[in-house]
Amino acid sequence: MTDTHPTGWFGDFGGRFVPETLIAALDELADAWISAMADAAFRDELDHMLRHWVGRPVPITHCPRLTAHCGGADIWLKREDLAHTGAHKINNTLGQVLLARRMGKTRIIAETGAGQHGVATATACARYGMTCEVYMGAEDARRQALNVFRMRLLGATVHEVHDGSCTLKDATNAALRDWMGSVGKTHYVLGSVVGPHPFPDMVRDLQSIIGHEARGQCLDRIGSLPHTVVACVGGGSNAAGIFAGFVGDADVRLIGVEAGGRSDDTGEHAASIGLGAPGVLHGSRSLVLQNDDGQTATVHSCSAGLDYPGVGPQHAHWHASGRANYIRVDDTSALDAFQLLARLEGIIPALESSHAVAAACTIAADMSSDQVLLVNCSGRGDKDVEEARRLLD
Ligand SMILES: *Cc1c(COP(=O)(O)O)cnc(C)c1O
């Protein structure tokens, strides 16, 4: 099943809303991506690195004690927390860095919020000796000083951005501005299934390894497909990646979990699908959180990776078409699930992934014990233990 229009539209969402100077670069990128995917040597190198450097395939893990606690469906986790750098982001950055090399680009730029995507980009650049410059809001850089140090340790230059709210959306604008002036030698590694075409397609394809592996593993180990697949949604890349393995199976229910934050009031959450409206952000049309006057709203979540006012256009379309359902989980429930999975299964999930775990527990309770619920554990929680301790005190 494919609902991808050739020009990068997903129903009413997607497209390219960028200055003229970037159109040729986006065309070049779209062509390069299609030709790379058709090139056996490129695919072999990507597969080799995913196996021997990232550590794939990562397993699916049965959660007997969580299942007993929630009551209902059998809960399994897809373990992206076991991938190199501790989350799914490396699947995307490795692929894009390999593509940039193939295109003859010598310089990589990226945006980062909390620093996770910046670290994953710097990691892939270090492996291939590519120049790496990361844009990060000054406020984020202050809050995430350890990730700034990590990126520098990996050889990257970090540019602090002092515009607007000095956070992720301002860093993304700065990276897009850089790219407009440097596109000849520079590739922009976008961090999620957002931005202008072909980024939503390309990032989903690179993350689809999550879903394709999981589908095979479910058939192998459980003997059936899962009844329901649950994943958290920030920009939407880990969700799009695991959904990609099951979207063609009409019987498999897909559920995305957004950050409900503290409340449904503007500025207190990051639920772009549940509470946003159609709009253009960072080069594509999707659902966007906006103020009454149409400006991009400020957002809040206890997890930095979900703290984004937009969402990938394909998710907006899956929502509109009903192929996937989107719900929200608040900070408190996510923090409870963070502790629950640690205590019951010996796995400390990222706060982002904890939103999916919290939703999974509620959803499983409404299902029967012969049904299977698969949750994407998008990352490990080591990065969040200090924040969790602060929030729990
Ligand atoms: C960045 C991040 C997310 C959110 O990004 P998506 O593009 O929505 O996947 C989720 N989980 C973890 C662990 C992350 O680092």
Side-chain angles (χ1 to χ4, degrees):
M1 172 181 148
T2 169
D3 52 7
T4 305
H5 190 277
T7 54
W9 282 88
F10 308 93
D12 293 337
F13 303 104
R16 284 176 176 170
F17 293 81
V18 294
E20 199 58 36
T21 43
L22 283 183
I23 296 291
L26 292 168
D27 280 339
E28 181 199 8
L29 183 60
D31 290 347
W33 176 238
I34 288 166
S35 105
M37 292 294 273
D39 176 358
F42 177 84
R43 297 192 71 118
D44 283 351
E45 170 147 34
L46 180 57
D47 289 349
H48 177 92
M49 290 299 289
L50 286 168
R51 175 173 289 270
H52 300 290
W53 186 70
V54 173
R56 306 200 73 91
V58 296
I60 55 168
T61 298
H62 186 218
C63 297
R65 299 188 70 221
L66 183 68
T67 297
H69 175 87
C70 303
D74 215 17
I75 301 175
W76 291 68
L77 296 180
K78 176 63 172 168
R79 302 292 307 282
E80 292 303 307
D81 59 308
L82 294 179
H84 181 37
T85 68
H88 66 293
K89 288 197 168 71
I90 194 80
N91 303 324
N92 173 39
T93 61
L94 170 65
Q96 287 199 49
V97 165
L98 279 173
L99 181 68
R101 283 179 90 221
R102 190 172 186 276
M103 294 172 74
K105 310 276 181 185
T106 54
R107 176 174 176 263
I108 296 290
I109 58 171
E111 86 294 344
T112 198
Q116 298 305 114
H117 173 60
V119 169
T121 304
T123 300
C125 287
R127 172 60 182 77
Y128 286 97
M130 303 274 274
T131 303
C132 181
E133 297 179 32
V134 180
Y135 288 92
M136 187 173 194
E139 179 57 23
D140 285 338
R142 187 187 60 75
R143 284 188 297 209
Q144 304 287 339
L146 205 56
N147 274 338
V148 175
F149 178 72
R150 263 191 199 106
M151 287 184 265
R152 292 189 171 136
L153 195 61
L154 290 158
T157 304
V158 179
H159 299 297
E160 294 189 16
V161 177
H162 294 271
D163 308 324
S165 53
C166 303
T167 59
L168 176 58
K169 95 179 147 49
D170 312 296
T172 308
N173 287 330
L176 280 167
R177 254 191 328 267
D178 176 316
W179 204 33
M180 275 183 255
S182 66
V183 75
K185 59 169 185 175
T186 301
H187 175 65
Y188 175 20
V189 177
L190 242 175
S192 192
V193 286
V194 300
H197 175 71
F199 284 106
D201 280 346
M202 186 170 70
V203 177
R204 178 207 56 226
D205 289 349
L206 287 167
Q207 293 294 0
S208 68
I209 190 163
I210 304 172
H212 294 310
E213 276 179 13
R215 191 176 193 283
Q217 289 165 327
C218 287
L219 291 173
D220 255 17
R221 295 197 45 212
I222 307 170
S224 71
L225 293 178
H227 176 280
T228 299
V229 176
V230 178
C232 66
V233 176
S237 69
N238 85 87
I242 198 162
F243 289 178
F246 302 97
V247 72
D249 302 296
D251 292 346
V252 177
R253 181 168 63 152
L254 307 176
I255 298 180
V257 185
E258 298 194 291
R262 298 188 200 100
S263 79
D264 283 358
D265 295 345
T266 303
E268 296 292 297
H269 59 82
S272 316
I273 296 177
L275 299 167
V280 171
L281 179 66
H282 299 142
S284 61
R285 184 171 192 275
S286 188
L287 293 170
V288 181
L289 289 168
Q290 301 164 51
N291 297 329
D292 293 339
D293 55 2
Q295 299 281 41
T296 307
T298 55
V299 284
H300 163 80
S301 168
C302 65
S303 70
L306 302 185
D307 208 348
Y308 181 67
V311 68
Q314 192 162 24
H315 285 291
H317 178 58
W318 280 330
H319 167 68
S321 70
R323 179 61 190 94
N325 295 317
Y326 296 84
I327 58 175
R328 49 191 181 277
V329 158
D330 65 20
D331 285 354
T332 308
S333 308
L335 206 58
D336 288 346
F338 179 82
Q339 300 169 80
L340 196 64
L341 196 69
R343 257 178 234 159
L344 294 180
E345 300 292 344
I347 297 168
I348 302 177
L351 277 174
E352 292 84 358
S353 321
S354 301
H355 286 72
V357 173
C361 196
T362 312
I363 294 162
D366 283 332
M367 295 168 62
S368 67
S369 60
D370 59 352
Q371 292 177 321
V372 171
L373 187 154
L374 177 67
V375 190
N376 199 23
C377 186
S378 55
R380 67 177 180 229
D382 303 53
K383 69 181 176 61
D384 296 316
V385 289
E386 208 170 291
E387 178 67 3
R389 186 177 62 165
R390 193 183 68 77
L391 291 170
L392 289 168
D393 275 350

